C-alpha cells in the first residue's frame, strides 16, 4: 500500500492517513473512539467487523483479528513497535487513552509486508500526538475531561498544544483512571462450575476444588491377598489397602503359590455391572472466596503522560517525544503460593488434605518509558518524493504478583528504527519502500518466572507499490526479513518438569512476505476485489523458551526450541455496492491456509495447585470466514445528520492436521474461537445535540473445540451502548456534557474466545456522566 501522507480535519481533529488504502484497512477517528465507554484496548476496537476482544479481565483485553491475537497481531504506535509484553502474556495490557489518540489504523490482512511476520494476522497502528504534527490555530489550544462512572471508577484526561514560534510547537497530554471491583449481574463463575459432574480439567479452568473421595466396594472381592497382608507395612513396596482385595485364590510368595484368605465381607451373586470403585462428591469449593455480583480482583489504577516538541517548515519536520505509562490492576483469577497443607472437613465428617491454602489474587504492575524521534524531508523528486525516519527507545518493567508478592518481573529494552522512502514516479504509480531494524532484550527476576533472559534481533527491507489505471487498482508488495532469537541462561532461572524450551538453542529465521490486491470498479456503484498474500512468522521467545508456571494465564507454559516457521497463504474476495438507496455494502470472504500454525496445546497433565500443563506445538490449520459491513449517511431537511452502520462476521479456525494428539486434545476446531455476531449503530447530530446508540449481538458458538473434553458453548448475549451529549457554549470556552452507558441491558456476557470465561463475565451495566472543556 502506498503511503503518501496527507492531512485532513474532522471536527478540528488533525489526522494523518495514507491517500490510498487497502481493502481491509479500517480507520477509527477520535469520534469513533469516544462513543463507547471501555476499559481495555481490545474492547475499544471490538465494534469493528472482524475484530473481537480477547478479554483477559476488564483491563487486559487485546484485539483479536479473525480469531488471531497475541504474537500474530502487531501493535504499533506511530509506525513503531510497542515493546510491552502483551503479545507474550495477555495480562500485560496495551496502554491507551482514547481521549488522546488521533486515530487508529486497523489492518485485517495484507499487513506483513509493511510490518513484518508478527503482523501475519493483522496490525493495529495507534496514531497519537506524542510528536505534534500540525500548528494549532491559536497560540494555545487544549481540553480537559473528567467523568464519574457508576461501575468503572473515575477518569480524568487533558491535552494541550501550543506554538512557540513560526516553526516550533509542543504538545502535552495526560490521563488517570481508577476503579475498585467491577459489578456484574450475577455470580462471577459459570453455573456448571459447581456441578458435581464437573471433570478435573474443567474444575481447574473454573478454579474450583472437588471435595471427593473414592470408595472401594470390598464386598465384590472373594479373597484377601496373603502377599499384601505380609508386606503392607514395608515402605519400600508402596502397597495400599486397595491391593489387599483380590479375585485370585492364590498369591505368589518366594516362587510358591500360597492360598489367599477368604474375604469375610464378600457377598456372592452380586450384579456383575456393580463398579469396583465409587466416587462420592461431598461438595465443590472455590480456590478462593468470590463475591456475588462482582468480578473478583478487578481493581485498576492507570496513568500516563506524553510530552512532545516539533520544529517544522514546509519541507522539513524534526520532532522528539516522551511517553510514560504506569498501570496496576487485577485479573479475575487466583494462584497458589506454596505452603504446607493441612487437613480439614466441610461438616460431613470426611477428612482430606486442603488444596485451598495459599491462594492469592493475580495482579499486574507495568511501567514503560518511551522516547521517540522523527525526521522527515520532502525532496519533491519523482523517484524520491519524501524521506522519513523514526526511532523509538522503550524501557518496560512488567511484573506478575500474587497478592502483594512478586512472582516474576521482566525488564525489556527495545530499540527500533524505521526508514521510509516515498515515491511517485508517474501519475498512475506511487509507492513506499523502507527498512526496519529492531533489537529487544528481556531480562527477568523472580523465583517463579516462566522465561529465561532472551535477546531478539530483527531487520526487514520492504517495498509496497500501487498502480492505478482507469478503473483498476493494483497493490503489490514484498518484504525480506531476518529474525534471531536467543535464550541466555542464568543460575537463578528454574525450569519446570515439562518440555521447558528443550535445549534453549539459539534460532535464526529468514522470512519472506508477499502480497497482491486487485480492485476493479466495474460500475460507479460496484467494485470487486481479489487478493493473495504469503506471510511467514518466526516463533516468539515464549513459544521457543518458556518453561515454568505462568500465573497470569494459570498454566505451566512450555516452549519448544525446535518449532518451525509459521507460514500462511491466504486469498480474499470482496464486493462493494456503493450508494444503492443511500447504503454502502461491503462484503469480504477470506481463506487462510497455515502450515505449522503455532498453538498452546493441552497435555492432559495438571500440577498441584490446579495448573494445567501446556506445550507450544505446530500443526496445519485453516482460518476462513465472512465479513459484511453496511454504512449510510443522511442529511435531514432540518440540517441534522444521521449515520447508520451495521456489520456481521463469522470465522472458522479449523484443524486440518493429521495429528491424532491434536484431535484428542483440541478437536476439529480450535477452542476459545470467537463466535459469530452482528451489530447495528445509529448516530444523530443536530445543532448542539448528539445521540449514539449501538447494539452488538453475539450468537451461541456451534463450531466447538475441545479442552481434552468437549468445550461447552457460552450462552448468546447482546450488549447495548448509548451516549447523549450537549454542547454548551460559554464565553471563549467550548463545553460538552454527556451521559454514556455500556451494557445497558445488564447482560451476563461470557465471550467464547476468553480463556477466563468460566471465571468472569464482561462488566455489568455502567453509566458515565462527564464534562469536557476545550480552549
Amino acid at each position: 500500500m502506498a503511503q503518501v501522507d496527507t492531512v485532513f480535519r474532522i471536527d478540528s481533529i488533525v489526522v494523518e492517513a495514507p491517500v490510498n488504502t487497502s481493502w481491509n484497512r479500517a480507520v477509527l477517528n477520535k469520534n469513533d473512539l469516544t462513543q463507547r465507554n471501555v476499559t481495555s484496548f481490545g474492547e475499544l476496537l471490538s465494534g469493528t467487523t472482524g475484530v473481537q476482544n480477547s478479554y483477559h479481565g476488564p483491563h487486559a483485553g487485546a484485539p483479536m483479528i479473525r480469531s488471531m491475537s497475541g504474537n500474530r497481531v502487531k501493535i504499533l504506535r506511530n509506525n513503531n513497535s510497542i515493546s510491552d509484553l502483551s503479545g507474550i502474556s495477555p495480562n500485560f495490557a496495551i496502554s491507551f487513552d482514547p481521549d488522546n489518540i488521533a486515530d487508529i489504523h486497523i489492518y485485517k490482512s495484507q499487513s506483513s509486508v509493511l510490518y513484518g511476520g508478527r503482523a501475519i494476522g493483522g496490525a493495529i497502528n495507534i496514531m497519537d500526538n506524542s510528536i505534534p504534527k500540525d500548528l494549532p490555530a491559536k497560540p494555545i489550544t487544549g481540553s480537559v475531561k473528567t467523568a464519574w462512572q457508576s461501575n468503572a471508577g473515575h477518569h480524568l484526561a487533558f491535552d494541550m498544544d501550543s506554538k512557540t514560534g513560526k516553526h516550533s510547537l509542543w504538545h502535552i497530554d495526560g490521563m488517570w483512571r481508577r476503579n475498585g471491583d467491577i459489578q456484574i449481574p450475577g455470580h462471577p463463575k459459570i453455573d456448571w462450575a459447581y456441578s458435581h459432574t464437573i471433570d478435573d480439567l474443567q474444575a481447574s479452568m473454573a478454579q474450583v476444588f472437588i471435595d471427593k473421595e473414592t470408595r472401594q466396594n470390598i464386598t465384590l472381592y472373594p479373597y484377601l491377598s496373603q502377599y499384601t497382608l505380609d508386606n503392607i507395612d514395608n515402605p519400600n513396596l508402596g502397597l495400599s489397602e486397595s491391593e489387599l482385595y483380590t479375585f485370585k485364590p492364590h498369591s505368589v510368595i518366594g516362587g510358591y503359590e500360597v492360598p489367599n484368605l477368604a474375604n469375610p465381607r464378600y457377598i456372592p451373586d452380586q450384579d456383575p455391572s456393580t463398579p469396583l470403585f465409587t466416587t462420592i462428591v461431598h461438595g465443590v469449593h472455590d480456590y478462593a472466596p468470590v463475591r456475588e455480583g462482582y468480578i473478583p480482583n478487578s481493581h485498576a489504577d492507570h496513568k500516563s503522560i506524553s510530552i512532545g516538541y516539533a520544529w517544522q517548515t514546509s519541507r522539513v519536520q524534526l520532532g522528539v517525544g516522551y511517553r510514560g505509562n504506569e498501570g496496576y490492576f487485577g485479573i479475575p483469577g487466583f494462584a497458589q503460593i506454596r505452603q504446607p497443607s493441612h487437613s480439614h472437613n466441610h461438616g460431613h465428617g470426611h477428612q482430606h488434605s486442603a488444596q485451598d491454602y495459599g491462594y492469592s489474587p493475580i495482579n499486574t504492575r507495568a511501567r514503560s518509558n518511551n522516547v521517540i524521534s522523527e525526521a522527515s524531508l520532502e525532496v519533491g523528486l519523482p523517484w524520491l518524493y519524501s524521506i522519513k525516519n523514526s526511532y523509538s527507545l522503550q524501557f518496560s518493567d512488567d511484573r506478575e504478583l500474587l497478592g502483594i508478592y512478586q512472582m516474576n518481573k521482566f525488564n525489556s529494552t527495545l530499540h527500533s528504527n524505521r526508514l521510509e522512502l516515498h515515491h511517485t514516479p508517474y501519475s498512475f504509480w506511487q509507492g513506499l519502500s523502507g527498512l526496519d531494524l529492531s533489537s529487544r532484550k528481556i531480562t527477568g527476576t523472580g523465583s517463579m518466572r516462566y522465561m529465561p533472559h532472551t535477546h531478539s534481533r530483527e531487520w526487514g527491507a520492504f517495498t509496497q507499490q500501487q498502480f492505478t489505471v482507469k478503473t483498476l487498482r493494483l497493490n503489490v508488495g514484498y518484504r525480506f526479513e531476518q529474525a534471531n532469537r536467543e535464550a541466555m541462561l542464568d543460575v537463578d532461572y528454574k525450569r519446570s518438569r515439562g518440555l521447558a524450551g528443550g535445549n534453549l538453542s539459539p534460532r535464526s529465521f529468514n522470512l519472506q512476505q508477499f502480497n497482491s490486491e486487485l480492485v476493479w470498479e466495474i460500475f460507479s456503484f460496484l467494485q470487486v476485489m481479489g487478493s493473495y498474500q504469503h506471510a511467514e512468522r518466526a516463533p516468539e521467545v515464549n513459544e521457543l523458551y518458556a518453561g515454568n508456571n505462568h500465573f497470569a494465564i494459570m498454566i505451566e507454559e512450555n516452549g519448544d526450541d525446535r518449532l518451525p516457521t509459521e507460514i500462511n497463504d491466504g486469498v480474499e474476495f470482496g464486493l462493494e455496492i456503493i450508494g444503492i438507496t443511500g447504503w454502502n455494502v461491503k462484503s469480504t470472504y477470506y481463506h487462510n491456509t497455515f502450515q505449522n500454525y503455532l498453538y498452546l496445546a493441552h497435555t492432559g497433565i495438571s500440577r498441584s495447585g490446579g495448573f494445567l500443563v501446556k506445550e507450544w506445538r505446530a500443526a496445519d490449520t485453516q482460518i476462513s470466514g465472512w465479513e459484511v459491513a453496511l454504512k449510510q449517511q443522511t442529511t435531514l431537511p432540518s440540517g441534522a445528520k444521521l449515520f447508520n452502520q451495521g456489520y456481521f462476521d463469522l470465522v472458522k479456525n479449523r484443524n486440518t492436521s493429521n495429528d491424532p494428539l491434536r484431535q484428542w486434545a483440541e478437536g476439529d476446531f480450535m477452542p476459545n474461537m470467537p463466535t459469530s455476531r452482528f451489530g447495528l449503530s445509529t448516530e444523530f447530530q443536530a445543532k448542539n445535540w448528539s445521540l449514539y446508540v449501538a447494539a452488538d449481538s453475539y450468537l451461541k458458538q456451534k463450531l466447538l473445540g475441545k479442552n481434552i473434553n468437549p468445550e461447552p458453548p457460552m450462552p448468546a448475549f447482546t450488549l447495548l451502548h448509548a451516549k447523549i451529549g450537549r454542547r454548551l457554549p460559554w464565553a471563549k470556552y467550548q463545553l460538552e456534557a454527556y451521559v454514556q452507558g455500556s451494557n445497558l441491558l445488564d447482560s451476563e456476557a461470557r465471550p467464547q474466545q476468553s480463556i477466563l470465561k468460566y471465571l468472569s463475565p464482561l462488566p455489568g451495566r455502567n453509566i458515565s456522566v462527564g464534562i469536557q472543556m476545550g480552549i
Side-chain angles (χ1 to χ4, degrees):
M1 179 190 66
Q3 198 166 345
V4 178
D5 293 337
T6 189
V7 175
F8 59 93
R9 290 183 179 272
I10 301 176
D11 292 335
S12 301
I13 303 298
V14 177
V15 183
E16 290 193 345
V19 171
N20 301 290
T21 62
S22 66
W23 185 271
N24 277 317
R25 174 180 168 274
V27 179
L28 302 181
N29 60 41
K30 191 165 188 175
N31 181 65
D32 300 324
L33 299 174
T34 55
Q35 294 288 31
R36 302 191 182 197
N37 200 13
V38 301
T39 56
S40 74
F41 189 66
E43 187 182 4
L44 180 69
L45 307 183
S46 62
T48 305
T49 178
V51 183
Q52 296 205 34
N53 178 19
S54 66
Y55 192 67
H56 200 73
H59 309 290
M64 179 177 278
I65 299 178
R66 297 174 175 177
S67 82
M68 293 177 283
S69 62
N71 294 328
R72 293 188 182 93
V73 175
K74 191 165 188 176
I75 310 297
L76 306 106
R77 190 182 296 275
N78 302 318
N79 285 316
N80 281 304
S81 296
I82 294 177
S83 75
D84 61 35
L85 302 184
S86 58
I88 293 174
S89 183
N91 63 301
F92 296 125
I94 300 163
S95 61
F96 77 102
D97 176 17
D99 294 296
N100 293 321
I101 295 175
D103 59 11
I104 295 179
H105 301 184
I106 302 172
Y107 299 83
K108 290 182 282 186
S109 68
Q110 304 282 322
S111 54
S112 60
V113 166
L114 284 176
Y115 299 119
R118 271 202 62 182
I120 195 170
I124 311 291
N125 195 5
I126 305 168
M127 308 300 291
D128 64 15
N129 293 317
S130 298
I131 295 178
K133 301 294 191 301
D134 194 55
L135 284 170
K138 298 185 292 185
I140 296 179
T141 62
S143 66
V144 177
K145 179 179 180 180
T146 184
W148 175 88
Q149 304 178 88
S150 65
N151 195 24
H154 304 287
H155 176 223
L156 175 66
F158 74 93
D159 68 274
M160 185 173 294
D161 294 277
S162 175
K163 52 184 178 182
T164 56
K166 184 178 180 180
H167 301 292
S168 60
L169 57 154
W170 59 266
H171 168 86
I172 182 170
D173 66 58
M175 176 274 295
W176 171 83
R177 55 188 170 95
R178 175 182 292 174
N179 65 266
D181 282 348
I182 290 176
Q183 298 178 27
I184 51 176
H187 197 275
K189 295 188 180 180
I190 197 163
D191 291 342
W192 54 255
Y194 301 101
S195 170
H196 285 199
T197 61
I198 189 172
D199 63 59
D200 291 338
L201 285 174
Q202 289 177 333
S204 294
M205 291 185 287
Q207 295 215 322
V208 293
F209 166 62
I210 307 173
D211 183 4
K212 62 184 178 181
E213 63 173 316
T214 300
R215 293 179 181 175
Q216 188 176 21
N217 191 345
I218 62 176
T219 64
L220 295 172
Y221 301 87
Y223 304 103
L224 300 177
S225 168
Q226 187 64 47
Y227 176 82
T228 302
L229 285 170
D230 293 345
N231 296 281
I232 195 168
D233 294 326
N234 186 343
N236 296 324
L237 297 178
L239 298 174
S240 65
E241 185 178 350
S242 65
E243 295 173 272
L244 178 63
Y245 303 94
T246 181
F247 292 97
K248 298 178 181 180
H250 297 88
S251 294
V252 177
I253 302 176
Y256 298 95
E257 286 190 348
V258 177
N260 287 328
L261 299 176
N263 177 9
R265 297 187 181 183
Y266 172 63
I267 300 176
D269 301 322
Q270 294 189 60
D271 186 342
S273 64
T274 303
L276 299 177
F277 294 87
T278 302
T279 299
I280 300 174
V281 177
H282 297 286
V284 180
H285 310 282
D286 294 309
Y287 284 4
V290 295
R291 285 194 295 168
E292 180 84 13
Y294 288 88
I295 298 177
N297 197 44
S298 51
H299 65 88
D301 188 347
H302 293 272
K303 43 186 169 288
S304 68
I305 189 168
S306 180
I307 303 172
Y309 172 82
W311 182 90
Q312 61 182 29
T313 67
S314 60
R315 299 180 62 183
V316 178
Q317 178 169 328
L318 303 174
V320 63
Y322 164 80
R323 182 173 182 83
N325 300 282
E326 182 174 353
Y328 173 64
F329 58 92
I331 291 170
F334 299 84
Q336 188 180 60
I337 300 175
R338 304 194 175 205
Q339 296 173 351
S341 63
H342 59 278
S343 296
H344 68 281
N345 65 65
H346 295 283
H348 46 65
H350 164 58
Q351 296 283 334
H352 62 83
S353 296
Q355 290 206 30
D356 54 359
Y357 63 84
Y359 281 93
S360 298
I362 300 170
N363 293 313
T364 293
R365 186 179 295 278
R367 298 186 181 97
S368 69
N369 295 279
N370 187 200
V371 178
I372 58 176
S373 66
E374 287 184 1
S376 61
L377 171 65
E378 182 181 320
V379 180
L381 299 175
W383 289 97
L384 185 58
Y385 181 79
S386 65
I387 303 174
K388 181 178 179 180
N389 190 83
S390 56
Y391 169 76
S392 173
L393 170 62
Q394 186 165 11
F395 302 96
S396 298
D397 180 328
D398 298 290
R399 308 181 187 195
E400 285 185 352
L401 313 172
L402 291 188
I404 61 173
Y405 299 102
Q406 179 176 298
M407 291 294 101
N408 57 63
K409 171 185 173 183
F410 291 102
N411 292 96
S412 60
T413 302
L414 172 72
H415 299 266
S416 65
N417 193 85
R418 182 177 177 91
L419 174 66
E420 296 180 355
L421 307 175
H422 299 258
H423 32 273
T424 56
Y426 301 101
S427 60
F428 65 87
W429 178 7
Q430 52 184 327
L432 166 69
S433 299
L435 181 67
D436 281 326
L437 303 169
S438 69
S439 173
R440 183 190 64 197
K441 285 187 177 181
I442 300 176
T443 58
T445 58
S447 59
M448 303 189 74
R449 57 189 164 101
Y450 56 89
M451 277 198 314
H453 303 328
T454 62
H455 187 195
S456 297
R457 296 176 301 277
E458 298 181 8
W459 71 268
F462 63 92
T463 185
Q464 185 78 49
Q465 305 296 319
Q466 179 175 278
F467 304 89
T468 305
V469 179
K470 295 184 179 179
T471 58
L472 294 175
R473 185 175 75 242
L474 174 66
N475 279 296
V476 291
Y478 175 78
R479 181 187 185 101
F480 177 82
E481 63 180 305
Q482 186 177 77
N484 298 293
R485 312 278 190 245
E486 181 182 3
M488 299 174 289
L489 284 177
D490 61 285
V491 295
D492 296 326
Y493 177 60
K494 297 178 177 61
R495 301 167 68 181
S496 70
R497 288 178 284 168
L499 185 60
N503 297 319
L504 302 181
S505 305
R507 298 292 303 279
S508 180
F509 302 88
N510 293 322
L511 310 173
Q512 298 188 75
Q513 324 289 344
F514 171 76
N515 65 31
S516 62
E517 178 185 272
L518 180 64
V519 178
W520 179 23
E521 184 180 324
I522 302 176
F523 304 105
S524 60
F525 60 87
L526 177 65
Q527 61 179 0
V528 296
M529 178 276 297
S531 71
Y532 166 77
Q533 70 167 345
H534 174 88
E536 300 179 1
R537 180 179 76 89
E540 255 296 350
V541 290
N542 64 312
E543 296 165 332
L544 292 171
Y545 304 128
N548 213 324
N549 289 342
H550 191 161
F551 291 94
I553 54 179
M554 291 165 283
I555 67 168
E556 179 188 301
E557 181 180 359
N558 287 278
D560 186 346
D561 63 351
R562 302 165 299 177
L563 289 174
T565 297
E566 185 177 86
I567 301 172
N568 173 36
D569 288 286
V571 295
E572 296 188 36
F573 303 97
L575 179 147
E576 183 173 18
I577 302 174
I578 304 169
I580 300 297
T581 66
W583 285 90
N584 287 5
V585 181
K586 190 174 186 178
S587 177
T588 305
Y589 171 76
Y590 56 89
H591 185 93
N592 297 291
T593 302
F594 278 85
Q595 299 177 43
N596 305 321
Y597 184 84
L598 305 183
Y599 68 103
L600 199 51
H602 284 279
T603 64
I605 302 172
S606 177
R607 305 280 192 223
S608 62
F611 273 17
L612 300 177
V613 180
K614 289 191 173 185
E615 295 177 351
W616 284 101
R617 296 176 186 160
D620 293 345
T621 296
Q622 285 183 356
I623 299 177
S624 60
W626 283 93
E627 295 172 0
V628 179
L630 303 91
K631 293 184 180 181
Q632 182 196 45
Q633 179 174 336
T634 303
T635 300
L636 303 178
S638 63
K641 294 182 179 180
L642 188 65
F643 304 89
N644 296 308
Q645 296 189 68
Y647 73 87
F648 167 78
D649 54 34
L650 160 71
V651 62
K652 299 178 181 180
N653 192 316
R654 187 189 301 271
N655 171 16
T656 57
S657 69
N658 296 318
D659 184 356
L661 187 61
R662 183 179 182 188
Q663 185 64 41
W664 166 76
E666 279 77 39
D668 293 328
F669 297 94
M670 286 298 292
N672 306 316
M673 186 170 64
T675 186
S676 299
R677 59 178 188 158
F678 63 90
L680 297 169
S681 68
T682 296
E683 183 180 357
F684 177 76
Q685 297 178 355
K687 294 183 179 178
N688 293 324
W689 287 94
S690 64
L691 173 67
Y692 173 82
V693 180
D696 302 283
S697 290
Y698 292 73
L699 308 181
K700 187 176 181 180
Q701 182 62 276
K702 297 180 179 179
L703 308 175
L704 296 167
K706 295 168 64 178
N707 294 297
I708 306 296
N709 298 308
E711 177 188 28
M714 296 296 102
F717 60 89
T718 297
L719 300 175
L720 179 64
H721 312 270
K723 179 181 181 181
I724 183 168
R726 165 73 169 162
R727 292 182 181 178
L728 306 169
W730 177 53
K732 61 180 181 179
Y733 303 105
Q734 298 176 4
L735 297 180
E736 181 182 2
Y738 65 89
V739 179
Q740 191 172 30
S742 59
N743 194 5
L744 290 172
L745 302 178
D746 209 22
S747 300
E748 181 178 331
R750 298 180 185 272
Q752 189 75 34
Q753 66 270 17
S754 171
I755 64 173
L756 300 184
K757 55 182 173 283
Y758 309 137
L759 301 177
S760 166
L762 297 178
R765 183 186 296 114
N766 179 36
I767 305 297
S768 175
V769 178
I771 189 167
Q772 179 170 315
M773 181 180 72
I775 57 173

